[in-house]
Amino acid sequence: MRFDVITLFPELFAPFLVSGVTRRAYESKQVEVVLWNPRDFAAGNYKRVDDRPFGGGPGMVMMAEPLSACLDAVLAARGEAPVPVVLFSPIGEKLQHAAIEQWSGSAGAVLVCGRYEGIDQRFIDVRVTHLISLGDFVLSGGEIPAMALLDAVARLQPGVLGDEASHVQDSFNPALDGLLDCPHYTRPEQWQGRPVPAPLMSGHHAKIERWRRDQSLAITSAHRPELIEVARAAGRLDKVDEAVLKKKL
């Protein structure tokens, strides 16, 4: 798959693409990332990409023309069927695991990273097909959300993680019925007077799995109870699960 990223700060992506386990996805081109700077498509000696907002007010607004010209070049370079054009915006749909799974199996997209006070609405209306938000807060630009999407997609690609089963046990994964993951422990067996929970040391696989499930239920119930309701409505909780939840409550 290929993701074309339109950004005024392509240098921010350099360390991201060569660091950590997900670099395998970018090096192998399982997830190809191509960076584009709209300033290269701006007119005039100063290559201006922003201007004052009509109606007054603080900040600057990214101009539609350089962005549109840049997007035209991206689409021409891809030379394929229509591709999603994503803008990271507070009004977008919050990024969830289900959406990440869809993107991870797609042909990719064009990711538009806004800056300053925002982007000329006319560009959004005419050229953008998808709006995505990381949550109810504002960042200085769309680069961090773009990296978040790329990272989440990259780690789902075959061979990227050291253990193929690693992401299957992630929080929100269908393998966990959409619940939160359980706690994890490693050496030493005792740390500052705190032992590893006994079931994990038992060697009894059924007990270990039951402990992990119980912990997942308890943590989800305490911190994200709406996920319990979703799992219950979908018929993913059995009688033992319900008994554990009732006991914890």
Side-chain angles (χ1 to χ4, degrees):
M1 72 186 67
R2 170 172 165 167
F3 286 91
D4 292 89
V5 182
I6 296 178
T7 171
L8 289 173
F9 299 97
E11 64 273 13
L12 294 178
F13 288 83
F16 167 76
L17 296 174
V18 298
S19 304
V21 69
T22 52
R23 75 184 186 282
R24 298 171 183 169
Y26 311 125
E27 291 172 352
S28 67
K29 298 298 179 71
Q30 284 176 282
V31 180
E32 183 179 6
V33 178
V34 183
L35 302 172
W36 301 77
N37 193 332
R39 201 175 298 279
D40 296 333
F41 300 87
N45 294 332
Y46 294 102
K47 298 294 183 180
R48 190 165 188 174
V49 295
D50 63 316
D51 209 336
R52 292 286 184 183
F54 283 120
M60 303 290 280
V61 176
M62 292 186 72
M63 302 163 68
E65 192 58 39
L67 286 171
S68 191
C70 183
L71 179 56
D72 286 339
V74 171
L75 298 179
R78 291 182 70 102
E80 54 187 49
V83 63
V85 178
V86 176
L87 175 67
F88 299 97
S89 167
I91 69 173
E93 181 178 352
K94 288 185 181 179
L95 193 58
Q96 305 283 354
H97 180 78
I100 291 297
E101 286 192 320
Q102 291 178 352
W103 287 114
S104 70
S106 73
V110 179
L111 308 181
V112 180
C113 302
R115 277 277 165 173
Y116 312 127
E117 194 66 23
I119 291 176
D120 190 309
Q121 185 63 40
R122 293 168 293 185
F123 173 83
I124 300 172
D125 294 340
V126 174
R127 308 301 305 266
V128 172
T129 64
H130 292 68
L131 296 170
I132 293 178
S133 171
L134 287 190
D136 295 342
F137 57 95
V138 177
L139 295 166
S140 57
E143 286 78 13
I144 291 176
M147 291 179 195
L149 174 60
L150 291 170
D151 184 82
V153 166
R155 67 189 306 278
L156 295 186
Q157 302 309 306
V160 172
L161 299 182
D163 187 334
E164 288 293 328
S166 291
H167 69 78
V168 176
Q169 298 301 319
D170 287 343
S171 295
F172 314 114
N173 197 285
L176 291 183
D177 294 324
L179 306 179
L180 300 179
D181 194 7
C182 66
H184 300 277
Y185 299 83
T186 188
R187 297 178 186 279
E189 295 179 16
Q190 292 273 347
W191 182 76
Q192 295 189 357
R194 296 172 177 268
V196 174
L200 297 180
M201 305 297 293
S202 68
H204 193 293
H205 294 298
K207 288 183 178 179
I208 292 172
E209 290 308 309
R210 186 66 251 174
W211 181 88
R212 286 174 171 164
R213 178 68 172 185
D214 292 351
Q215 292 295 309
S216 177
L217 290 164
I219 290 172
T220 306
S221 178
H223 298 282
R224 294 291 300 276
E226 76 277 11
L227 298 179
I228 293 288
E229 294 306 320
V230 171
R232 179 177 287 127
R236 298 171 185 158
L237 304 182
D238 59 23
K239 292 181 179 180
V240 178
D241 292 335
E242 294 290 4
V244 169
L245 288 169
K246 185 177 181 179
K247 182 180 179 181
K248 294 294 182 182
L249 295 174

